[in-house]
Amino acid sequence: DIVMTQGALPNPVPSGESASITCQSSKSLLHSNGKTYLNWYLQRPGQSPQLLIYWMSTRASGVSDRFSGSGSGTDFTLKISSVEAEDVGVYYCQQFLEYPTFGGGTKLELK
Amino acid sequence: EVQLVESGGGLVQPGRSMKLSCAASGFTFNNYDMAWVCQAPKKGLEWVATISYDGSSTYYRDSVKGRFTISRDNAKSTLYLQMDSLRSEDTATYYCARHPYYGYNSWGQGTLVTVSS
């Protein structure tokens, strides 16, 4: 299985500041079709997860442009610019290259 | 509006069976692969199983192979998860998710399964 490892945030994050969440995969997620099979999800407190970013850098429908994804084949970053109250929750990265696996989650708290 | 509504969870004894359902609406169900994802209490997300849009292909995580069966009824726009030989470690909230080729872009609210004597 591909192992996904997420970094922690220096919580709490001041409102209006930016936050970057890291994720590392044990194998390159770059497919032969040129796409990188790395997704980001947000699970707000008491809610189901929602898709934020797919193919490493494509925002899902309706997702704020304050969210952006970047990275290489094995190292990835989700950046949230100007953090707001609605961004609070746990962020998960997920690989889709093989049978799906998720990272352990990164909690974002607001100051 | 896309809606996924899970049902069928509850308390079950180890070794027994349980069947979860997920009623879909607001989209053309038979155009999409579907998946089940679980989340143990206070833990992270784990993929459980995936079924192709027409039901012809199914995939499972190793820990549930041979015990869980994913299926669908496209005429009823409903996804199922038959869980047999349940273990305490299967205790989790189970989410159904719509699965276009790039990820899980819609999720249900989840149904809690508790395996305990």
Side-chain angles (χ1 to χ4, degrees):
Chain A
D1 289 3
I2 297 177
V3 177
M4 306 298 292
T5 304
Q6 293 185 229
L9 274 174
N11 280 315
V13 178
S15 178
E17 295 287 302
S18 66
S20 291
I21 300 171
T22 60
C23 173
Q24 194 169 50
S25 60
S26 61
K27 177 180 176 178
S28 175
L29 302 183
L30 179 60
H31 192 277
S32 56
N33 63 11
K35 298 188 187 302
T36 301
Y37 281 54
L38 185 282
N39 298 340
W40 289 97
Y41 298 83
L42 164 61
Q43 187 174 31
R44 296 186 174 100
Q47 295 188 18
S48 306
Q50 69 168 103
L51 179 65
L52 295 175
I53 301 283
Y54 59 94
W55 290 337
M56 189 176 71
S57 59
T58 302
R59 272 189 302 277
S61 176
V63 173
S64 169
D65 59 7
R66 295 185 298 103
F67 292 90
S68 61
S70 63
S72 63
T74 58
D75 293 275
F76 311 98
T77 301
L78 175 71
K79 183 177 179 181
I80 312 164
S81 62
S82 191
V83 169
E84 300 178 358
E86 66 178 19
D87 303 334
V88 165
V90 180
Y91 291 80
Y92 294 94
C93 61
Q94 177 206 32
Q95 66 80 18
F96 238 93
L97 186 69
E98 298 177 356
Y99 285 162
T101 50
F102 292 87
T106 299
K107 192 171 186 178
L108 185 149
E109 298 171 323
L110 199 65
K111 190 174 185 179
Chain B
E1 179 194 2
V2 173
Q3 280 206 315
L4 298 169
V5 180
E6 301 95 337
S7 60
L11 176 64
V12 62
Q13 293 180 327
R16 304 296 290 265
S17 299
M18 179 171 274
K19 187 171 186 177
L20 306 182
S21 300
C22 171
S25 61
F27 66 100
T28 304
F29 184 68
N30 58 15
N31 280 355
Y32 289 86
D33 294 357
M34 297 292 293
W36 288 98
V37 177
C38 72
Q39 185 171 35
K42 305 293 187 185
K43 299 294 185 182
L45 302 169
E46 279 191 340
W47 167 73
V48 175
T50 296
I51 187 166
S52 61
Y53 67 99
D54 61 356
S56 62
S57 298
T58 57
Y59 311 90
Y60 300 91
R61 66 179 296 111
D62 286 346
S63 62
V64 308
K65 274 181 192 172
R67 298 190 301 122
F68 289 12
T69 303
I70 187 171
S71 63
R72 63 193 297 161
D73 184 335
N74 283 345
K76 295 182 177 179
S77 295
T78 302
L79 176 72
Y80 302 101
L81 185 67
Q82 175 68 44
M83 304 185 293
D84 299 324
S85 303
L86 282 160
R87 306 167 180 168
S88 58
E89 55 264 36
D90 297 321
T91 293
T93 295
Y94 286 76
Y95 297 98
C96 70
R98 188 174 74 166
H99 178 6
Y101 50 91
Y102 55 81
Y104 303 142
N105 69 349
S106 293
W107 298 62
Q109 85 288 349
T111 186
L112 177 62
V113 174
T114 303
V115 184
S116 175
S117 53

